[in-house]
Amino acid sequence: MRFYKGKDYIEIFGKDDFNIKQTLECGQVFSYQENEDCFLVYSANKKAKVTETYKGYIIKTDSPDYYENYFDLQTDYGAIKKALSKYEILQKPIQFGGGIRILKQNLFETLISFIVSANNNIKRIQLILNRLREKLGKDMGTYHAFPTRDELLSVDVKFFTDIGAGYRDKYLYSVVRQIDEETLENWKSLPTNELRKKLIALSGVGPKVADCVLLFGYGKGDVFPVDTWIQKMYNKFYENLDNREKIRNNLTRQFGELSGYAQQYLFYYIRDN
DNA sequence: TTCCAGGTGCATA
DNA sequence: TATGCACATGGA
């Protein structure tokens, strides 16, 4: 996919491998807003305005380098889709959500967001995270940044209860005391399985949340997050299994380094069909 | 009213 | 190692 990066914008040429609606609504990200003519995409302390044009998209932002990486613009999704199309189970999902891109999101924000996501629905996850931003994140004028670790350290458990986090309030209170942004960054160089163990050791992080952070934050393709939707799909199209870790291992064995991409095409498809 | 949502932690055997 | 239950909240 061709794109041009300017001083305060990125222009995307073509829509086959980039669809902003699909990319934002496939459940990998919670901090965005749909307007009549554009999408506003918030990440950490940054903002981008994405508008569809007749030949592609314009991404207006003060941080084009950041969003070039965020939208994973250097990766050839045509090649990924071609490789995955050999699996019959993925053919319709790829046709349906062919414009999905796996975002490379801020690590700390991804960790906190997916702890909130556990046993929760997407609408309420967004609600909780919006309240978190507005009550604690730095005022950037037209929006609020995602709170930093230091900002999150300044509040008590009750704060998380009050924004509606439910029983995850205790996990959030604990996890910000266990980890900081720099440590998460330093873990980038670790192999997937080692990194996964470190994430699972954190409060509120189990196998599923760890896989989401690995995929949507660290950009690790060799993981397959298994939630209730994927489990239902697996039981319908593969075999009856209630052990999610086994389901995960079977699927990663099948899709290898492209597991994460396969997972997103499937997840987006089964939720809408 | 009951079920469900991008599950995890903890006790128990 | 594996199984079972509790856990907040709000929409369907």
Side-chain angles (χ1 to χ4, degrees), chain A residues 70-81:
Chain A
Y70 179 90
F71 284 115
D72 197 19
L73 296 185
Q74 298 287 354
T75 298
D76 182 356
Y77 279 73
I80 291 170
K81 287 184 283 183

Side-chain angles (χ1 to χ4, degrees), chain A residues 54-117:
Chain A
Y54 70 96
K55 53 182 169 182
Y57 291 92
I58 294 280
I59 303 170
K60 284 272 294 175
T61 175
D62 292 338
S63 317
D65 289 336
Y66 181 85
Y67 279 99
E68 176 188 3
N69 176 65
Y70 179 90
F71 284 115
D72 197 19
L73 296 185
Q74 298 287 354
T75 298
D76 182 356
Y77 279 73
I80 291 170
K81 287 184 283 183
K82 194 176 169 189
L84 287 176
S85 290
K86 71 175 180 182
Y87 302 101
E88 200 187 333
I89 195 168
L90 291 179
Q91 285 168 3
K92 278 186 185 171
I94 287 175
Q95 213 169 8
F96 182 71
I100 289 174
R101 306 187 75 83
I102 306 288
L103 300 175
K104 290 198 166 117
Q105 301 177 61
N106 175 273
L107 296 176
F108 188 71
E109 179 171 352
T110 308
L111 176 69
I112 299 296
S113 299
F114 277 92
I115 289 173
V116 171
S117 83

Side-chain angles (χ1 to χ4, degrees), chain A residues 90-264:
Chain A
L90 291 179
Q91 285 168 3
K92 278 186 185 171
I94 287 175
Q95 213 169 8
F96 182 71
I100 289 174
R101 306 187 75 83
I102 306 288
L103 300 175
K104 290 198 166 117
Q105 301 177 61
N106 175 273
L107 296 176
F108 188 71
E109 179 171 352
T110 308
L111 176 69
I112 299 296
S113 299
F114 277 92
I115 289 173
V116 171
S117 83
N119 195 28
N120 211 340
N121 60 65
I122 292 179
K123 261 208 144 78
R124 199 161 81 91
I125 299 165
Q126 288 175 327
L127 193 69
I128 294 165
L129 292 174
N130 282 342
R131 289 197 279 244
L132 183 61
R133 282 177 166 278
E134 278 171 27
K135 291 204 172 193
L136 207 53
K138 186 179 175 194
D139 188 352
M140 306 296 285
T142 57
Y143 65 102
H144 286 258
F146 195 86
T148 61
R149 186 221 182 195
D150 282 340
E151 285 162 337
L152 287 164
L153 276 173
S154 73
V155 297
D156 53 14
V157 186
K158 189 172 178 302
F159 171 86
F160 297 111
T161 317
D162 290 344
I163 61 169
Y167 64 87
R168 306 162 200 81
D169 52 3
K170 296 177 285 292
Y171 304 158
L172 294 170
Y173 179 83
S174 299
V175 78
V176 299
R177 282 158 180 76
Q178 293 175 310
I179 195 78
D180 57 69
E181 291 94 336
E182 197 186 342
T183 307
L184 287 172
E185 293 293 327
N186 291 340
W187 285 354
K188 270 184 176 168
S189 55
L190 295 173
T192 302
N193 274 328
E194 214 171 308
L195 180 46
R196 188 167 189 259
K197 280 178 196 158
K198 288 193 179 289
L199 290 171
I200 288 176
L202 299 173
S203 172
V205 181
K208 153 67 172 60
V209 170
D211 282 341
C212 285
V213 176
L214 286 165
L215 180 57
F216 307 132
Y218 286 98
K220 301 282 190 185
D222 54 341
V223 297
F224 203 113
V226 177
D227 71 330
T228 69
W229 296 93
I230 293 292
Q231 184 169 14
K232 279 182 208 160
M233 180 281 301
Y234 189 88
N235 287 329
K236 186 172 173 187
F237 293 106
Y238 287 82
E239 59 182 323
N240 256 310
L241 249 183
D242 59 348
N243 186 320
R244 289 192 178 185
E245 198 69 9
K246 280 183 185 163
I247 294 175
R248 173 195 191 270
N249 292 337
N250 291 344
L251 290 168
T252 51
R253 207 175 300 120
Q254 178 173 17
F255 298 111
E257 294 292 318
L258 298 181
S259 294
Y261 302 91
Q263 197 270 4
Q264 275 304 273

